[in-house]
Amino acid sequence: MKSDEPNISLSQLGEFGLIDRIRNQVADSRSVAVGIGDDCAATILPAGELLLTSKDLLIEDVHFRRDWTDMYHLGRKSAAVNLSDIAAMGGKATHLYLGVGLPKTLTAAEIDQFTSGFLDEANAAGATLCGGDTCRSNGSLLISVTVHGSILPEQVLRRDGAKQGDLIYVSGTIGDSALALAQLQRGDTPSTDLAQRHHSPTPRLALGQAIAKNNLATAMIDVSDGIFSDLGHILEQSQLGAQIIQNQVPLSESAQLHLNSHPNDAEIALRGGEDYELLFCAPATNNDKIKQLAAELKIPLTQIGICLPASQGLTLVTPAGQTQSFQSTGFNHFR
Ligand code: ADP
Ligand code: MG
């Protein structure tokens, strides 16, 4: 149901009017025995598969600013960042749950745009919205999303499986989102390509599933906090060190174009987060299969480094050929 009266207020619509409005936009799914409208959802897990669960919180002025994004893309991103966690395990996304704390000043039209973005992203992933919670926020807009997925037990890709000598790969390109954010923070306007990567990231579900199904990787993570910070989690849990070659970190044409005129932003591209690409470790013997998969899916998969013994720590070889010992400086909420 779309708002025929765009200016209808939240107080006119009420909590249950709002939930009905959301429910009416959700298509039926065979894996949902009971969806929105009861005390609990009841969903069906494929026989023999594990249930994957992940949750993300998005808080206005911490994770997003409403003057930098529109409600449709905020809805998309709220689903996408969660779906990305399922991709990082190698799983299929199945069901979503949406909790919102809404400032009373939001209009029904704005909530419709948010819902429409959220459901477009959910549908693209083949996941169904099955429930949530809705309440008033006296301050900022709060969004809390839980995603469920499923995977065969032997396919689960954890952070602790990487081995010494494994090659380290990333999908797509790195740094686009962080460059867009840096420009927004300075009051500049990022290029459309960079802005899109920031406001509407694409979860790499098909890629994650293919890597898991073909048993190509030993460990995998999605790049939410930056490649060093996220690789750092794999290294810590796998008890390894690693070396990254900066020149091999894949940049998009738009990022390269930006860096040509703003060379000082190279660090931002390298260390920034929110690309939602997959970073994984794999034995060198899988390199041909990985190249083949990249060609099949038309997603670049680039080797950026190698896993080493823990005693070597995490190092970066700069374009000038110097080796820097790396402190993990990805995003940390409490720093
Ligand atoms: P309860 O009082 O049992 O918590 P609610 O009245 O909060 O139930 O919710 C009624 C139904 O609407 C439930 O199925 C719940 O999961 C669903 N729901 C509530 N808010 C949302 C939302 N924002 N998105 C999707 N489903 C929602
Ligand atoms: Mg409730």
Side-chain angles (χ1 to χ4, degrees), residues 15-16 19 22 35-39 98-100 129-134:
E15 177 187 345
F16 300 107
I19 294 171
I22 295 175
I36 295 174
D38 217 310
D39 295 309
L98 172 62
V100 286
L129 178 61
C130 295
D133 203 22
T134 301

Side-chain angles (χ1 to χ4, degrees), residues 206-217:
L207 174 63
Q209 285 159 37
I211 291 170
K213 205 180 283 172
N214 296 301
N215 197 18
L216 293 180

